């Protein structure tokens, strides 16, 4: 990682005219088990799309294909209009896809700023020593700009609440994502007040230009934060609705298959 | 002290909670043991020659402790270091006997450590066995090799350059063994606290899943810490060979427990994610002081073993009771 790269992202760089993510004819089989039969979806830049479905419907499998953990058996993934294939998760990350995991991928004993730069630490000088001051400063600026309330960029993750930790994970993902942020149940482990804070943060990502695909079990949440909702039932895509043009009952019956 | 893992001050906590006395066990222990020997042994312990002897004799332990800090910080362990000391010292001594070149002797000794470390690393990362088992196995195998290549005989070393570098030599009046300790500590401190490598080592020990999805090459880092630890043990072997003017298969055989104790008492976590090089230095000096004091107190060898074991047990239990978070 070059140490010249700045932490503060420039939302203007994102090309909003092509979809951040396009999934076409995606199919995934594990041996004989068909996890995803067929799935198509576009996520626009600056758009939040929720992915819902019952347990075992295939939501996590889908997220893992887009984040490089699994490779699709068939179908095409395009990022910002260009075909993409990922060897592994860090390959996907290099291509601008960031993931917020449910089980917080943070290093507890390290400060917030080291987590923000985990795996891409900034260095200085010919000995390439860590530039802790600059990482702390840039992290503080980002956290302030996104209005995340943590004691300091130098606070150790262990000192933070669950909501603050998830906020740090989301900040990190947003900062590094050049095209897409994936979230698999980002608030599943949080209380009511903390969930509200994290939702606020997710909604603020819209302005930053990345597409957001968020898996959620919570329909109230989906209706609060998403622009569109895609429904999976037993590996099949049953429909995509604009939040403004649907309601809870319709989405519930799409999920369950009962009318 | 701005050691890794404890670098950030506890901002939101009351002061009394922010001070975790367990981090200072090694310093408290150091002072207490020093005072104890000073009072009961007096001049025999306190004279400058004895004190500098402690530091000199502890050099191999200090060097190995630095290597082990990295291994423990990734959440692994290396039990093979004691055997690597002997086999490296012997290989170095044999190479010196055959070629009379200090450079060849040193490279041969270090190469043995590199190979053992690589084998450990490959079995831990690619074959995915616990480092405890892998290094337990290599500990035995390497000890066997040391016996085999030496025929249970000691190999004398008389190469002047080598003896100057690793034994009795001095630089500006400072004994060479002390310089080696200082170098090991300085390099270890910078690597662990000031480089991306050190940050990755600590991240792996804390949350290997997070490290992996962040693009950190976890297998490569683990192989590197295990190679580093084995090569530190090789260097320790060369230091013994230099100081004793020869090598023998028994070298380093009692060092494993001492090194582990030094590192743990110093404040490095046995479970990864937290490591301190300065603490390890204090830990090994504490161990060296104990050794010295018990000998001066005229305890028999078996009494020394008992006393050392019990003291280590107390010290380790004081520092190991991990913080509940
Ligand atoms: N690694 C795997 N190997 C085999 N089957 C899998 C694997 N991962 C997921 N599946 C199967 O794929 C289906 C979808 O699982 P998943 O994506 O976890 O669902 P969701 O996240 O919607 O609850 C399930 O039937 C599950 O058993
Ligand atoms: Mg799931």
């Amino acid at each position: 990682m070059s140490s010249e790269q700045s932490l503060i992202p420039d939302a203007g760089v994102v090309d909003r005219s092509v979809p951040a993510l396009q999934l076409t004819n995606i199919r995934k089989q594990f041996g004989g088990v068909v996890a995803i039969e067929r799935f198509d979806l576009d996520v626009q830049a600056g758009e939040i799309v929720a992915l819902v479905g019952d347990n075992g419907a295939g939501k996590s499998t889908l997220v893992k294909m887009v984040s490089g953990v699994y490779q699709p058996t068939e179908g095409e993934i395009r990022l910002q209009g260009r075909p993409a294939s990922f060897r592994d998760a860090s390959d996907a990350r290099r291509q601008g896809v960031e993931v917020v995991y449910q089980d917080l991928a943070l290093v507890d004993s390290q400060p917030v700023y080291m987590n923000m730069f985990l795996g891409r630490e900034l260095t200085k000088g010919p000995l390439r020593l860590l530039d802790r001051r600059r990482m702390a400063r840039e992290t503080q600026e980002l956290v302030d700009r996104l209005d995340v309330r943590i004691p300091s960029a130098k606070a150790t993750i262990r000192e933070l609440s669950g909501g603050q930790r998830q906020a740090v994970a989301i900040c990190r993902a947003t900062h590094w994502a050049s095209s897409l942020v994936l979230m698999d149940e980002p608030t599943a482990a949080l209380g009511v007040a903390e969930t509200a804070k994290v939702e606020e943060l997710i909604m603020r990502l819209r302005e930053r230009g990345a597409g957001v695909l968020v898996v959620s079990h919570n329909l109230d949440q989906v209706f609060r934060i998403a622009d569109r909702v895609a429904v999976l039932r037993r590996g099949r895509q049953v429909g995509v609705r604009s939040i403004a043009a649907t309601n809870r009952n319709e989405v519930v019956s799409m999920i369950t298959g009962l009318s | 002290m701005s050691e890794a893992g404890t670098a950030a001050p506890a901002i939101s906590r009351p002061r009394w909670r922010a001070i975790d006395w367990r981090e200072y066990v090694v310093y408290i222990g150091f002072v207490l043991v020093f005072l104890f020997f000073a009072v009961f042994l007096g001049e025999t312990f306190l004279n400058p020659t004895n004190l500098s002897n402690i530091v000199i004799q502890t050099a191999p332990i200090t060097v190995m402790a630095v290597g082990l800090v990295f291994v423990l910080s990734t959440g692994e362990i290396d039990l093979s270091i004691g055997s690597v000391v002997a086999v490296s010292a012997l290989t170095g001594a044999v190479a010196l006997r055959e070629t009379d070149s200090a450079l060849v002797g040193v490279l041969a000794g270090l190469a043995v450590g590199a190979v053992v470390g690589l084998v450990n690393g490959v079995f831990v990362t690619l074959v995915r066995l616990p480092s405890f088992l892998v290094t337990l196995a290599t500990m035995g195998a390497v000890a066997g090799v040391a016996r085999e290549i030496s025929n249970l005989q000691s190999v004398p070393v008389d190469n002047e350059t080598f003896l100057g570098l690793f034994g009795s030599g001095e630089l500006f009046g400072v004994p060479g063994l002390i310089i080696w300790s200082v170098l090991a500590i300085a390099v270890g401190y910078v690597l662990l606290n000031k480089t991306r490598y050190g940050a990755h080592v600590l991240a792996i020990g804390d949350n290997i899943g997070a490290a992996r999805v962040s693009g950190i090459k976890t297998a490569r880092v683990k192989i590197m810490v295990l190679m580093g630890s084995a090569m530190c043990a090789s260097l320790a072997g060369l230091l013994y060979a230099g100081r004793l003017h020869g090598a023998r298969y028994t070298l380093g055989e009692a060092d494993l427990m001492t090194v582990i104790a030094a590192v743990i008492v110093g404040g490095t976590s046995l479970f990864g994610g937290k490591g301190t090089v300065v603490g390890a230095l204090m830990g090994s000096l504490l161990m060296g002081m104990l050794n010295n004091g018990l000998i001066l107190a005229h305890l028999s060898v078996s009494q020394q073993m008992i006393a050392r074991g019990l003291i280590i047990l107390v010290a380790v239990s004081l520092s190991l009771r991990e913080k509940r978070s």
Side-chain angles (χ1 to χ4, degrees), chain B residues 187-277:
Chain B
V187 170
Y189 180 85
V190 170
L191 267 185
L192 187 63
N193 300 293
K194 310 269 181 202
T195 67
R196 299 185 68 202
Y197 174 69
H200 296 172
V201 163
L202 292 163
I204 287 171
D206 188 303
N207 186 344
I208 188 161
R212 202 174 285 131
V213 298
S214 301
I216 294 171
K217 304 227 174 352
T218 56
R220 191 165 81 183
V221 173
K222 282 191 177 182
I223 291 174
M224 285 176 71
V225 297
L226 285 164
M227 287 182 72
S229 154
M231 290 177 75
C232 283
S234 294
L235 177 55
L238 297 176
L239 294 175
Y240 277 124
R243 200 178 83 212
L244 305 172
H245 291 226
R248 200 174 148 73
Y249 70 94
T250 49
L251 284 182
E253 97 189 323
D255 287 351
L256 177 63
M257 180 179 80
T258 314
V259 173
I260 293 180
V263 172
I264 299 291
V265 170
T268 294
S269 167
L270 240 187
F271 311 108
K274 185 176 165 236
T276 142
V277 171

Side-chain angles (χ1 to χ4, degrees), chain B residues 284-302:
Chain B
S284 59
L285 289 178
L286 176 59
M287 294 301 143
M289 204 159 64
L290 276 174
N291 225 6
N292 178 268
L294 295 176
I295 292 169
L296 293 184
H298 300 297
L299 267 66
S300 71
V301 173
S302 41

Side-chain angles (χ1 to χ4, degrees), chain A residues 150-187:
Chain A
I150 55 171
S152 146
K154 290 180 183 163
T156 307
I157 296 295
R158 192 179 281 126
E159 300 166 38
L160 304 182
S161 71
Q164 288 172 324
R165 291 175 195 212
Q166 195 59 293
V168 169
I170 292 174
C171 280
R172 178 173 68 183
T174 349
H175 164 56
W176 293 106
S178 55
S179 44
L180 187 68
V181 178
L182 300 170
M183 305 189 189
D184 196 352
E185 314 240 7
T187 59

